[in-house]
Amino acid sequence: MDPFALYKISYGLYIISSLKGELLNGQIANTVTQVTAEPAQVTIALNKLNLTHEFVKESGVFTASILSQNAPMSLIGTFGFKSGRDVNKFEVLEYRIGETGAPILLESSVAFLEARVVSELDVGTHTIFVGEVINAQKLNDHEPLTYAYYHQIKGGKSPKNAPTYIKEEESTESSGEKYRCKICGYIYDPAVGDPDNGIAPGTAFSELPDDWKCPICNAAKSEFGQCGKYKCKICGYVYDPKVGDPDAGVTAVTVFNNVPDDWKCPICNATKTEFEKEE
C-alpha cells in the first residue's frame, strides 16, 4: 500500500478549541467535516492523548476556526507542536469567547463555527465527536488554508498525533544541504529558504542568523541536524538516515546529528566521531 496516496484526500486546516473550567486550549486539526445540513452538524477527530480532547470530552463543546492561507507557520507551530500543558497558546493571540464559553481564534482565520457535542465514536487512537453547530460567522474573503497548500507550498509537516500522520523519508534533491529539526521534523531546504521570516531562497543553513528559529516549533538553530549519509572512516559502513540502525534502537529518518553520542558503528564498533559526511 502507498500511504502517500492518502495525501490526495482533500482537507483544510483548523484550530479546534475548547475549555475546562477557566482553562482554555486549542489544537491544529485537519479533520473537520460537515455531515448534515438540517440541523447543521460537523465531525472532528481528536487524538486521545491531546489536552484539547480532554477539554471537549468534559465540556461537551468546541469551536473550529478555519485558517487563512496566509496564516504564519509560527501559529501552526504553536497549536500543532506545543502542548497546552506547557504553554498558554492564546496568551498573545487575538480571540474572543463564544456562546459556548470556548475560545474562538480570530487571528489568521477566515471563518469560525461553534458546536455542542451530540454524540461521539471511539476509533482507537482518536475520538470522533459529532457537534451540532449553534453559531457560525464568516470573518473575511481570504483563501482558506488547505492541507495540500500547507504541505506543498509552506513545507509543513504533520504532528505525530495527527490522524493523517505519515513518517516521511528524506528527499535528496536540493540545491544545498538540508537540515532537519529534531523537535518537529521540519526540514530547512536552502532551495526554498524561509521567506516568511525574511530568509531568501538560496540561503545556506550556515548563513542563517544565529537567532533564526524553526518556523514550525520555534526551536533554536542548534536543534537542527544535517540530512544525508555518513561513512565510517574505519570500515566503510554507510549510515543512511532513511534506514537508521533499528538493531541499536535508532529509528528510520533519524539524521546523523541526532544519533546518540554513544552510538557506535554496527560493523566495526567505531565511535560516531569516526564518521564523515558522504559527498
Side-chain angles (χ1 to χ4, degrees), residues 2-197:
D2 177 8
F4 293 97
L6 298 174
Y7 276 161
K8 298 301 182 182
I9 299 175
S10 180
Y11 303 98
L13 272 182
Y14 316 90
I15 302 294
I16 305 300
S17 304
S18 192
L19 75 159
K20 182 179 181 181
E22 296 182 354
L23 300 177
L24 308 177
N25 196 56
Q27 67 162 79
I28 283 283
N30 67 319
T31 48
V32 177
T33 306
Q34 182 175 354
V35 289
T36 62
E38 294 183 5
Q41 295 182 107
V42 296
T43 61
I44 60 173
L46 302 180
N47 191 292
K48 295 176 182 177
L49 298 178
N50 291 354
L51 187 63
T52 304
H53 178 280
E54 177 185 324
F55 281 22
V56 173
K57 187 88 171 174
E58 182 165 316
S59 69
V61 299
F62 63 86
T63 65
S65 296
I66 304 168
L67 291 180
S68 165
Q69 200 172 86
N70 60 12
M73 294 295 276
S74 57
L75 183 145
I76 296 171
T78 295
F79 284 90
F81 292 90
K82 295 182 180 180
S83 172
R85 298 179 178 92
D86 304 319
V87 298
N88 177 0
K89 300 182 183 182
F90 288 94
E91 189 172 18
V92 295
L93 297 174
E94 182 187 359
Y95 73 95
R96 78 178 191 221
I97 301 300
E99 294 180 18
T100 63
I104 301 168
L105 181 71
L106 302 175
E107 189 169 322
S108 300
S109 300
V110 301
F112 71 83
L113 58 86
E114 299 185 74
R116 296 190 186 280
V117 176
V118 293
S119 63
E120 58 185 71
L121 175 65
D122 187 323
V123 289
T125 57
H126 290 65
T127 300
I128 295 176
F129 295 99
V130 182
E132 182 173 346
V133 179
I134 64 170
N135 186 29
Q137 182 180 336
K138 185 177 81 168
L139 300 174
N140 53 61
D141 291 318
H142 296 166
E143 284 293 317
L145 177 60
T146 66
Y147 207 46
Y149 190 94
Y150 170 66
H151 277 284
Q152 297 167 12
I153 307 301
K154 288 180 173 284
K157 304 296 178 183
S158 303
K160 288 187 177 181
N161 284 351
T164 53
Y165 172 74
I166 298 173
K167 181 178 285 188
E168 298 182 25
E169 294 185 344
E170 297 174 21
S171 170
T172 57
E173 297 178 4
S174 176
S175 61
E177 295 291 349
K178 296 182 180 181
Y179 283 73
R180 180 189 293 273
C181 176
K182 68 181 182 181
I183 305 299
C184 71
Y186 167 81
I187 293 178
Y188 176 79
D189 185 348
V192 178
D194 181 13
D196 288 346
N197 291 298

Side-chain angles (χ1 to χ4, degrees), residues 192-273:
V192 178
D194 181 13
D196 288 346
N197 291 298
I199 307 299
T203 303
F205 187 82
S206 60
E207 297 173 354
L208 294 175
D210 290 338
D211 60 355
W212 178 84
K213 294 184 178 181
C214 174
I216 299 292
C217 70
N218 212 39
K221 187 178 174 183
S222 59
E223 297 291 347
F224 279 70
Q226 194 173 24
C227 299
K229 299 178 181 180
Y230 280 73
K231 179 184 288 188
C232 176
K233 292 183 287 185
I234 306 300
C235 70
Y237 166 81
V238 175
Y239 175 82
D240 185 349
K242 293 181 180 180
V243 179
D245 183 8
D247 291 341
V250 180
T251 59
V253 200
T254 300
V255 296
F256 189 76
N257 286 34
N258 293 343
V259 172
D261 291 337
D262 59 355
W263 175 84
K264 294 183 179 181
C265 174
I267 302 297
C268 70
N269 212 38
T271 62
K272 187 177 173 184
T273 57

